[in-house]
Amino acid sequence: MGCGSTKMASSTPELPPAVLEKVDELFKKMDFDKDGKVDLSEAEKFWSSGKLGKFGKMSARAMFNEVDDDENKAITHAEWVEFWANVRNNSENKYSDEEIVDELKAMIEGEAWRDWDDGRSTTHHTAGAAGTDATAGAAGAAGGGDK
């Protein structure tokens, strides 16, 4: 399990339609080979092709550190949806659906991954990625970081 992992008990987490639409849109944009999962190279390609350029790898690694809960270097659609349900339902720092949709739209448009205040970390395990918290650099300029 990932550092600070908070797995949900439900096998199919529910998200409101507006949130699920953007969750699905971002996932599909990253899944370049359309195999139903996003690997690190696909995430790096997505984040690097946007506004972040060479800093895209930082966002990709930060995302993997926070989302790839089983640390298998691939994020399935189910794992992706579960992550967003966890962000939405975190009891300590609940984000509104509008906040989540706004951040998803920004990421779809090429903004940096943010460190969601959801009990997971962006700086723990992916591919020797020391100091890859995307919110420390590029995301700060993009409005990322904890709320």
Side-chain angles (χ1 to χ4, degrees):
M1 290 292 154
C3 181
S5 171
T6 52
K7 295 284 279 183
M8 293 188 56
S10 172
S11 61
T12 309
E14 297 204 15
L15 292 171
V19 175
L20 185 59
E21 177 185 339
K22 292 301 173 190
V23 164
D24 286 347
E25 184 178 346
L26 182 54
F27 186 87
K28 288 174 184 173
K29 282 190 169 273
M30 291 187 291
D31 185 14
F32 286 97
D33 63 8
K34 307 299 180 211
D35 66 351
K37 64 182 185 266
V38 175
D39 62 35
L40 184 58
S41 65
E42 286 175 308
E44 288 176 346
K45 180 178 178 181
F46 170 78
W47 293 110
S48 296
S49 67
K51 298 175 184 179
L52 302 176
K54 66 182 180 180
F55 294 105
K57 286 185 177 185
M58 292 171 50
S59 275
R61 290 177 182 154
M63 180 191 78
F64 260 76
N65 286 339
E66 202 164 5
V67 180
D68 186 20
D69 203 41
D70 60 8
E71 300 181 30
N72 69 348
K73 299 194 180 13
I75 298 169
T76 64
H77 186 263
E79 197 171 19
W80 183 246
V81 171
E82 182 177 296
F83 169 78
W84 290 104
N86 181 60
V87 166
R88 183 175 181 266
N89 297 322
N90 184 285
S91 61
E92 291 182 27
N93 300 295
K94 187 167 175 102
Y95 294 96
S96 71
D97 292 343
E98 183 179 345
E99 289 172 312
I100 294 170
V101 167
D102 286 347
E103 290 293 336
L104 285 162
K105 285 178 183 177
M107 289 185 284
I108 289 165
E109 295 300 318
E111 299 293 339
W113 179 260
R114 64 171 292 157
D115 183 359
W116 293 90
D117 192 6
D118 67 332
R120 299 181 189 198
S121 173
T122 61
T123 59
H124 63 283
H125 57 76
T126 298
T132 59
D133 186 348
T135 62
D146 291 339
K147 291 197 179 270

